[in-house]
Amino acid sequence: MSTGDMPNRPVFRRVAIVGLGLIGGSLALAIREHGLAGTVVGTDRRDDETLWARDHGVIDEMAFSAADAVKEADLVVVAVPVRATRDVLEAVRPALSDHAVLTDVGSTKGSFIQAVQAVFGEWPERVIPGHPIAGSEKSGIRAAHGDLFDRHKIILTPPDSVAPEALDQLTRLWEGCGARVLTMSVDRHDEVLAATSHLPHLIAFSLVDTLAGEDDNLDIFRYAAGGFRDFTRIAASDPIMWHDIFLSNREAVLNMIDHFTADLGQLRQAIESQDGERLLQVFSRARAAREHFSKMLSGQAYVNTEQQNQVTFRLQPGGAAQGDIRVPGDKSMSHRSIMLGALAEGTTEVTGFLEGEDSLATLQAFRDMGVTIEGPDQGFVRIHGVGLHGLQPPHGPLYLGNSGTAMRLFAGLLAGQRFDTELTGDASLSRRPMNRVADPLRQMGAVIETGEGGKPPLRLRGGQTLTGFHYDMPVASAQVKSCLLLAGLYANGDTSVAEPAPTRDHTERMLNGFGYPVTRDGNTARLSGGGRLTGGPIDVPSDISSAAFFLVAASVAPGADLRLQHVGINPTRTGVITILREMGADITLENEREIGGEPVADLRVRYAPLRGIRIPEDQVPLAIDEFPVLFIAAACAEGTTLLTGAEELRVKESDRIQVMADGLAAIGVDSTVTDDGIEIPGGQALRGGTVDSHGDHRVAMAFAVASLRAEGEITITDCANVATSFPGFDRLAQEVGIRLTVEACE
Ligand code: NAP
């Protein structure tokens, strides 16, 4: 029991429960245990059961007829099988007081309302149907327990004319039992339950019955594996109750059976014609949908950044940086490969895919719009593109987890579709501003509603005609630029976006890679609507931000010689190479080529003594994520390194400059933090010590690199997030010779 320790004030004076089975008995116990009523009186069809309930403390008082039980009660709960409801209502009606609230717990709601109307001639304002989404295969009072509803949902389906204080009281009663109360219409309830509860029970009953009818049934059941037992657990439920439910929710259940039978027929057909591709599509879509629903229902991000485990990195001094490695794929390109692959004609096979928040959220959203996507499996994804106009209306809102990038890009992409869409996300995404994309999209003719204060959810009205326009971005943003260019695919005429400072241009490049021309003229990117995208293979280049740790590692470790394969060297991202070269690093680009519109090369890095420099301010935005590890390079250099114009670093995952300065101090390196940067005198000894990364993955990895020049052991705490941004960092670090061990505890 969760709330049982907290005494409640009674919500009702006298509660009468008619039907002391599993649900009625459990509710009586919960109400008593939580002190939610002055008195609980109960009655059952069988007197011996009523007596048992009184003797075992389930109820305070007993009655031997429904009419006796409800006299003077201010809440009456009908807890009998749904088809017995009408008789019970007939019996209680003459004794029911005018101010009593009447509710039930039946699994179907349309039938309850029919019974109410038959008995009362109307739907009184104090009759509020209810259905706890809690229970078990066992029935009867002996299976009842007071915490059955704890942390479960209860659906109430009140009439439009409901008496507000009655609804409020009933809500408080259920909440007092630990349940979460939802309200919906009677029809919606019956449809939803037909799909999520009634159909699965029907299938379970039917499957067990089919197998039980086989000649060798004993053998079949003897060898039944765990899967069969799990799947058919609900076939142990009470036959009478379920017979009632199917007959009471006839229409909604028939619809679901027809729908399911048609889908099952298609699977049968696929097996008969040996259509493995079709089977794979259905199974992978189903598996992904199941994972998606669990995330969505708990309002979670796709990637868990708040890992439960405490992870500590321990690094021994010395170590080496030697070998030939490939670091994980670029996040932005992985994300865009899904988007453009889905909108392309033909199949797009992606390798080196990084499963980040943005790409996983986007992948699911396209599945919801009818695109078949296989994987991800070890970095491989196959997208069966539907073309720019082939998306299907989703059945509900598109849930984008924690991904702001996905929400802004989808706003552009969906503004020009023929159907309506709604974009939602987890609690933190729901606080992020969306007007910076909604406003310019409206100028193109999009109809978009936002939540309060320009925040999600975003509702996009379909069937609008978009017109291309020119937009001067007030603040440089790759997301806004990408959003408008994607809307431009669906607009009449040209769409162009000018940026006040260079931002990442992965969207433009990848559009070109998919055969959709985007031109650049100075600071302006431009495209014309009405073209088409063509799918093809994409080997996602390694992320230069991840490669940066190894670029610095090999630059500072005497004797190092390291090759990093297939790294993306998009000029909007290569600030780290420019800065390191200016410090004297020996980095050469080999085997330069183009993948999906992006320049790629193998990077060879050899040890070279570094010198301190004043970092050119124009390089700062091009290396913004790489500064933590560049500070380590600065600490290992001769002479002072000065960083200015990097205010943004103070508001990243942590105040990166301060956290890095504290970490440097912890291993014996002095530095001076300024408002917009830092000054690091080089040539100091890195003594070793304990560094708190404050959960910032880049800080953690940067200090792992520092161990190559440290005199003593370095311990780095709070490193769990490394696994999300750079899966396999520990393994690769060990492979090149960094002396890292990982300690995890619950
Ligand atoms: P249960 O344990 O079998 O209890 C049903 C109770 O109703 C028993 O006390 C039974 O009396 C009484 N009853 C049966 N037929 C009656 C009739 N014709 N007239 C008067 N009383 C009658 O069933 P339950 O699981 O508590 O289910 C009760 C209601 O809750 C049902 O409407 C069901 O749809 C709903 N519900 C059940 C679950 C679940 O998982 N079990 C979950 C949510 C909602 P006896 O003592 O004579 O049998």
Side-chain angles (χ1 to χ4, degrees), residues 19-24 44-46 49 79-82 84 88 105-107 131-132 134-136 139-140 238 241 245:
L20 293 172
L22 171 72
I23 301 290
D44 195 70
R45 190 170 56 163
R46 283 167 48 194
E49 295 292 273
V80 300
V82 283
V88 171
V105 293
S107 306
H131 176 200
S136 96
S139 52
D238 183 12
M241 179 173 112
I245 290 174

Side-chain angles (χ1 to χ4, degrees), residues 520-545:
R520 175 160 278 273
D521 182 8
N523 68 346
T524 302
R526 171 177 284 105
L527 57 71
S528 309
R532 47 190 283 208
L533 298 160
T534 310
I538 298 181
D539 187 4
V540 176
S542 293
D543 194 328
I544 192 160
S545 300

Side-chain angles (χ1 to χ4, degrees), residues 176-461:
C177 298
R180 195 153 74 82
V181 178
L182 310 174
T183 54
M184 62 175 71
S185 73
V186 167
D187 287 350
R188 181 80 185 131
H189 169 276
D190 286 358
E191 270 167 35
V192 168
L193 269 291
T196 56
S197 168
H198 306 169
L199 182 67
H201 277 84
L202 191 80
I203 296 170
F205 282 127
S206 164
L207 179 65
V208 178
D209 185 53
T210 304
L211 297 192
E214 298 286 316
D215 288 345
D216 52 354
N217 61 28
L218 256 184
D219 258 359
I220 291 185
F221 288 117
R222 184 171 300 134
Y223 299 123
F228 176 79
R229 250 174 268 137
D230 288 350
F231 184 82
T232 57
R233 176 180 58 80
I234 50 183
S237 303
D238 183 12
I240 298 184
M241 179 173 112
W242 282 98
H243 142 281
D244 274 23
I245 290 174
F246 289 116
L247 298 182
S248 305
N249 198 19
R250 194 166 149 262
E251 219 164 290
V253 171
L254 287 178
N255 280 339
M256 276 319 301
I257 295 176
D258 290 348
H259 193 151
F260 175 71
T261 317
D263 284 358
L264 196 63
Q266 285 184 9
L267 282 177
R268 184 190 185 286
Q269 170 72 36
I271 296 169
E272 190 173 43
S273 58
Q274 307 213 358
D275 183 353
E277 195 172 326
R278 170 88 194 137
L279 293 178
L280 270 179
Q281 281 170 11
V282 174
F283 298 163
S284 48
R285 203 165 58 210
R287 186 176 76 167
R290 196 174 186 286
E291 281 165 19
H292 168 66
F293 292 137
S294 7
K295 299 265 182 220
M296 191 173 85
L297 291 174
S298 52
Q300 278 175 19
Y302 277 85
V303 172
N304 185 9
T305 47
E306 284 169 25
Q307 319 251 345
Q308 296 297 311
N309 289 349
Q310 278 301 326
V311 175
T312 300
F313 284 179
R314 216 173 277 286
L315 291 125
Q316 300 310 317
Q322 210 76 21
D324 197 339
I325 58 169
R326 180 163 171 166
V327 303
D330 183 275
K331 201 165 70 168
S332 309
M333 286 193 65
S334 297
H335 181 211
R336 283 155 178 80
S337 66
I338 300 291
M339 271 199 162
L340 301 190
L343 298 175
E345 288 163 30
T347 304
T348 296
E349 291 191 345
V350 187
T351 41
F353 175 81
L354 180 79
E355 294 184 35
E357 181 72 30
D358 300 343
S359 20
L360 291 178
T362 293
L363 201 141
Q364 184 57 43
F366 278 114
R367 282 182 169 138
D368 290 348
M369 291 188 285
V371 181
T372 301
I373 303 175
E374 295 169 51
D377 180 17
Q378 313 267 343
F380 178 79
V381 183
R382 183 182 290 121
I383 309 153
H384 299 264
V386 295
L388 274 172
H389 299 283
L391 296 178
Q392 301 299 322
H395 290 297
L398 297 174
Y399 178 75
L400 301 174
N402 187 242
S403 175
T405 308
M407 186 167 283
R408 295 194 176 109
L409 268 54
F410 268 121
L413 190 72
L414 297 174
Q417 301 293 337
R418 64 198 149 75
F419 49 83
D420 295 352
T421 35
E422 180 175 342
L423 305 177
T424 64
D426 73 355
S428 125
L429 177 56
S430 303
R431 288 192 292 270
R432 312 256 289 270
M434 290 295 148
N435 274 340
R436 67 181 64 169
V437 290
D439 288 340
L441 284 172
R442 288 183 186 118
Q443 290 180 43
M444 295 177 79
V447 177
I448 305 179
E449 253 178 64
T450 66
E452 214 180 310
K455 297 185 179 139
L458 292 187
R459 290 192 190 84
L460 298 117
R461 177 100 44 83

Side-chain angles (χ1 to χ4, degrees), residues 462-745:
Q464 310 301 315
T465 305
L466 302 187
T467 309
F469 80 140
H470 175 77
Y471 187 62
D472 279 309
M473 280 196 290
V475 177
S477 159
Q479 287 178 355
V480 175
K481 177 178 62 171
S482 301
C483 161
L484 298 178
L485 291 175
L486 292 172
L489 300 175
Y490 293 89
N492 294 326
D494 282 7
T495 299
S496 54
V497 186
E499 47 194 10
T503 63
R504 295 182 180 186
D505 60 355
H506 298 297
T507 304
E508 297 97 294
R509 283 176 181 272
M510 207 181 265
L511 278 167
N512 280 326
F514 274 84
Y516 201 110
V518 185
T519 56
R520 175 160 278 273
D521 182 8
N523 68 346
T524 302
R526 171 177 284 105
L527 57 71
S528 309
R532 47 190 283 208
L533 298 160
T534 310
I538 298 181
D539 187 4
V540 176
S542 293
D543 194 328
I544 192 160
S545 300
S546 300
F549 298 101
F550 292 97
L551 291 178
V552 173
S555 299
V556 302
D561 186 352
L562 188 63
R563 209 167 74 99
L564 298 163
Q565 302 156 21
H566 200 68
V567 181
I569 48 165
N570 181 312
T572 59
R573 303 281 299 280
T574 47
V576 63
I577 296 181
T578 312
I579 293 168
L580 280 173
R581 278 180 167 162
E582 203 158 313
M583 294 175 80
D586 177 0
I587 302 174
T588 46
L589 308 188
E590 297 173 353
N591 193 12
E592 285 187 55
R593 55 212 183 266
E594 194 162 286
I595 303 283
E598 294 272 350
V600 174
D602 301 329
L603 307 183
R604 180 155 183 208
V605 203
R606 277 169 285 201
Y607 169 73
L610 300 184
R611 56 184 173 270
I613 58 165
R614 186 186 183 101
I615 295 173
E617 283 203 9
D618 64 345
Q619 292 300 310
V620 171
L622 309 184
I624 201 77
D625 286 336
E626 286 73 69
F627 278 109
V629 77
L630 282 171
F631 291 181
I632 301 299
C636 298
E638 282 303 322
T640 297
T641 298
L642 182 65
L643 170 69
T644 54
E647 298 86 346
E648 197 188 327
L649 273 182
R650 308 210 66 164
V651 291
K652 279 276 174 185
E653 277 85 338
S654 60
D655 174 349
R656 269 199 182 141
I657 293 188
Q658 192 59 53
V659 170
M660 281 302 297
D662 293 346
L664 286 170
I667 60 167
V669 176
D670 290 333
S671 63
T672 310
V673 174
T674 63
D675 286 347
D676 67 343
I678 193 168
E679 186 176 324
I680 304 173
Q684 306 179 55
L686 280 59
R687 286 200 303 271
T690 297
V691 174
D692 182 353
S693 77
H694 290 271
D696 187 326
H697 48 114
R698 295 197 198 280
V699 171
M701 290 185 276
F703 280 100
V705 170
S707 69
L708 291 166
R709 287 280 285 270
E711 293 169 358
E713 183 180 291
I714 298 180
T715 301
I716 310 163
T717 59
D718 207 356
C719 300
N721 289 338
V722 170
T724 320
S725 86
F726 189 151
F729 171 76
D730 49 344
R731 196 183 33 76
L732 278 181
Q734 289 156 355
E735 188 180 323
V736 302
I738 296 176
R739 300 169 66 191
L740 164 69
T741 46
V742 180
E743 291 170 9
C745 60

